Amino acid sequence: DAGVTQSPTHLIKTRGQQVTLRCSPISGHKSVSWYQQVLGQGPQFIFQYYEKEERGRGNFPDRFSARQFPNYSSELNVNALLLGDSALYLCASSWGQREKLFFGSGTQLSVL
Amino acid sequence: GENVEQHPSTLSVQEGDSAVIKCTYSDSASNYFPWYKQELGKRPQLIIDIRSNVGEKKDQRIAVTLNKTAKHFSLHITETQPEDSAVYFCAASIRAGGTSYGKLTFGQGTILTVHP
């Protein structure tokens, strides 16, 4: 029974570059959410997608964008990377009618 | 928007003791309150959750209580074991109707250390 899978696990980028993070939800789950977790803090909500439509957006700049594909997988894109974007990016999925969020192991992004 | 405050930031107990972590939330519309356990370098794992129509929920050594009037909820771990050592996060959310919304507002986390 596969959980939420994310790729890559680690990524090193330099300032100004662009990055794409990928997430595959638990089979049958139609909702995907993205969170940013800075070391020592709780996760911060970035986006939520349900049935391929954006349903929620957190307080992040327009450099952050996402999309959900017909198979319910998702990508998070971050343009013009800043040092402050260094964090663990977590993807979580849930079934449309259920309320429990299940997280992936995350992508650790380091911006140098 | 919703704001969740979590206390204490660190908690150290002896094996077998109980541990209590408390959270307060600001938005009275919040009606779903999960708790996550995150071990170093691992994913947050849902350990228990409670909805606003319930005052208490138990699962073996773990329990959560909710006081909607005071807008606070707590995690209780009894008979703690070294493997309970981790960071614990509370969260709050507004769940509207039959649609699943993914937005959780998390507390700052509590580092729990259980000494053998």
Side-chain angles (χ1 to χ4, degrees), chain A residues 51-72:
Chain A
E51 286 284 15
K52 301 177 285 291
E53 292 186 4
E54 181 183 305
R55 293 303 184 97
R57 174 185 285 254
N59 188 24
F60 281 81
D62 292 343
R63 299 185 295 107
F64 289 76
S65 64
R67 55 180 175 170
Q68 187 177 32
F69 298 99
N71 67 352
Y72 302 107

Side-chain angles (χ1 to χ4, degrees), chain B residues 53-116:
Chain B
N53 58 346
V54 176
E56 183 177 1
K57 184 176 179 181
K58 286 185 178 180
D59 183 4
Q60 300 183 341
R61 297 185 297 108
I62 294 173
V64 58
T65 59
L66 171 66
N67 183 327
K68 283 209 70 179
T69 302
K71 289 191 284 188
H72 67 71
F73 56 112
S74 300
L75 178 70
H76 304 254
I77 305 175
T78 58
E79 301 173 16
T80 54
Q81 302 167 2
E83 50 266 38
D84 294 330
S85 297
V87 182
Y88 290 81
F89 292 99
C90 64
S93 178
I94 300 170
R95 299 295 177 169
T99 302
S100 174
Y101 289 91
K103 180 180 179 179
L104 293 176
T105 301
F106 283 84
Q108 300 90 332
T110 296
I111 302 172
L112 173 64
T113 304
V114 180
H115 299 280

Side-chain angles (χ1 to χ4, degrees), chain A:
Chain A
D1 182 18
V4 178
T5 57
Q6 292 186 243
S7 62
T9 55
H10 296 84
L11 206 49
I12 299 175
K13 293 286 188 178
T14 57
R15 281 178 297 175
Q17 285 189 313
Q18 176 264 341
V19 68
T20 298
L21 311 180
R22 295 176 176 83
C23 171
S24 293
I26 293 171
S27 178
H29 284 194
K30 299 180 179 179
S31 177
V32 169
S33 301
W34 288 94
Y35 287 79
Q36 180 195 66
Q37 187 176 22
V38 174
L39 189 63
Q41 296 182 19
Q44 295 281 322
F45 174 74
I46 310 175
F47 284 110
Q48 193 254 349
Y49 277 78
Y50 176 66
E51 286 284 15
K52 301 177 285 291
E53 292 186 4
E54 181 183 305
R55 293 303 184 97
R57 174 185 285 254
N59 188 24
F60 281 81
D62 292 343
R63 299 185 295 107
F64 289 76
S65 64
R67 55 180 175 170
Q68 187 177 32
F69 298 99
N71 67 352
Y72 302 107
S73 66
S74 177
E75 286 182 351
L76 175 70
N77 295 284
V78 187
N79 294 322
L81 285 167
L82 303 174
L83 295 179
D85 295 331
S86 295
L88 179 67
Y89 288 85
L90 293 164
C91 174
S93 76
S94 63
W95 184 48
Q97 298 301 314
R98 294 188 179 180
E99 302 172 351
K100 299 180 190 294
L101 278 189
F102 297 92
F103 283 88
S105 296
T107 294
Q108 185 65 54
L109 173 64
S110 298
V111 182
L112 305 178

